[in-house]
Amino acid sequence: MNVYWDEAGLKFAHVTPSILAIGDSWFWYPFPGGSLVSHLGPVVERKEHTILAKGMNGAEAFDYVDGKYKDEVTRALHLYGSSLSAVFISGGGNDFAGFNDMRPLLRLDCSAASTAADCFRSGDGGLSVFLERMDQYYRRLVGLIYTHTSLSCLIVMHSYDYAIPDGRGVFGGAGWLKPALVAAGVPDQLQRDCVRYLIDQFHQMLTTIASGDPEHLLVVDSRGALAESDWANELHPKGSGFRKIAKECWKPLLEQAELA
């Protein structure tokens, strides 16, 4: 085992993490089959890397720099920063997933929209403001990582995949995306396009950040990696889906970066 979700396990095994994984449910998904980090462990194991995860299911990008996980992220970077070869980041999905997050990004009435872009609000509270906020949180987290790690430490971000807004939640509960799309009157044929458009804009935000330091900032593009059957619900792949993303999207980039 080379993946740990708590420091008690690290101490018991007498190991020090060389990769810190700061993330949301894509790193912490608790159901059978595991999370993305579960499948990244074997990818980096041949390079003798040990991963320590920080964050939790439901974490938002805000939480890593100003919210509930700020202190533990900062503490982990302070304790282990000098020995880290990389920091993996998964954040932003929970910032737009959920009725109260997704609905404000959409126009009041999208029933006459002909494209996905037509469905999103502009101006205050709209998509551009949301992306600016995500950009600020990511840049602050990157700055915090820079402060506590060596010049050789890599920072790897990722863009999720095109979630399917079919209303499936966990244990039969409501989904995170479809209720907001329906409430905004988004035509059925545009609902998937709206999610694709949002993920594409999020990916572009990450690549813009990475362009400022391409030697140390890397972006895993996992858009379009999953088939419909690979999804467990609106937001999360099945274990086999996470494994597919780890092997097909993360592994080539990590090998190029000599982390795998």
Side-chain angles (χ1 to χ4, degrees):
M1 175 180 176
N2 68 326
V3 180
Y4 296 86
W5 284 269
D6 65 81
E7 286 167 289
L10 275 178
K11 292 177 181 177
F12 184 79
H14 301 290
V15 293
T16 300
S18 56
I19 296 175
L20 186 65
I22 304 170
D24 51 21
S25 57
W26 271 50
F27 283 2
W28 285 82
Y29 198 56
F31 296 104
S35 67
L36 180 57
V37 164
S38 304
H39 298 287
L40 289 175
V43 171
V44 300
E45 191 169 20
R46 286 192 176 184
K47 289 286 187 174
E48 299 184 349
H49 285 297
T50 298
I51 301 175
L52 173 63
K54 289 293 180 180
M56 184 52 70
N57 296 301
E60 298 185 355
F62 163 86
D63 290 322
Y64 308 143
V65 292
D66 280 327
K68 64 178 70 175
Y69 305 116
K70 174 186 176 181
D71 289 345
E72 69 176 74
V73 166
T74 302
R75 177 179 175 276
L77 287 169
H78 177 74
L79 286 175
Y80 309 116
S82 62
S83 65
L84 294 178
S85 297
V87 178
F88 298 165
I89 303 174
S90 180
N94 288 307
D95 296 81
F96 63 75
F99 188 89
N100 292 333
D101 294 313
M102 184 74 167
R103 183 64 185 92
L105 301 180
L106 301 166
R107 296 184 183 275
L108 291 179
D109 183 3
C110 304
S111 58
S114 58
T115 68
D118 292 339
C119 297
F120 288 91
R121 291 178 56 197
S122 57
D124 290 347
L127 182 58
S128 61
V129 175
F130 166 78
L131 291 169
E132 288 173 5
R133 190 166 68 247
M134 291 298 99
D135 179 276
Q136 291 173 6
Y137 293 149
Y138 262 85
R139 289 183 187 274
R140 288 179 59 196
L141 181 56
V142 166
L144 184 65
I145 295 167
Y146 280 167
T147 300
H148 291 282
T149 58
S150 70
L151 293 175
S152 62
C153 183
L154 302 177
I155 300 173
V156 186
M157 306 168 281
H158 79 114
S159 53
Y160 301 97
D161 196 3
Y162 297 131
I164 301 171
D166 55 13
R168 287 187 297 162
V170 177
F171 299 130
W176 299 267
L177 303 172
K178 190 174 184 67
L181 295 165
V182 171
V186 177
D188 290 346
Q189 68 272 19
L190 286 182
Q191 290 182 8
R192 290 195 183 195
D193 288 344
C194 282
V195 176
R196 292 176 66 93
Y197 182 79
L198 181 53
I199 294 293
D200 284 344
Q201 295 297 306
F202 181 78
H203 175 78
Q204 182 57 52
M205 181 271 293
L206 294 180
T207 58
T208 298
I209 292 173
S211 68
D213 184 6
E215 184 178 353
H216 298 100
L217 301 179
L218 310 176
V219 179
V220 176
D221 186 357
S222 48
R223 296 173 299 166
L226 300 176
E228 190 161 343
S229 60
D230 291 323
W231 290 91
N233 50 57
E234 278 195 329
L235 285 191
H236 307 101
K238 300 174 183 176
S240 57
F242 280 128
R243 183 171 62 249
K244 179 186 290 188
I245 287 177
K247 289 186 175 181
E248 296 183 5
C249 303
W250 282 72
K251 185 179 179 182
L253 183 143
L254 295 180
E255 286 179 338
Q256 186 176 0
E258 299 184 353
L259 290 168

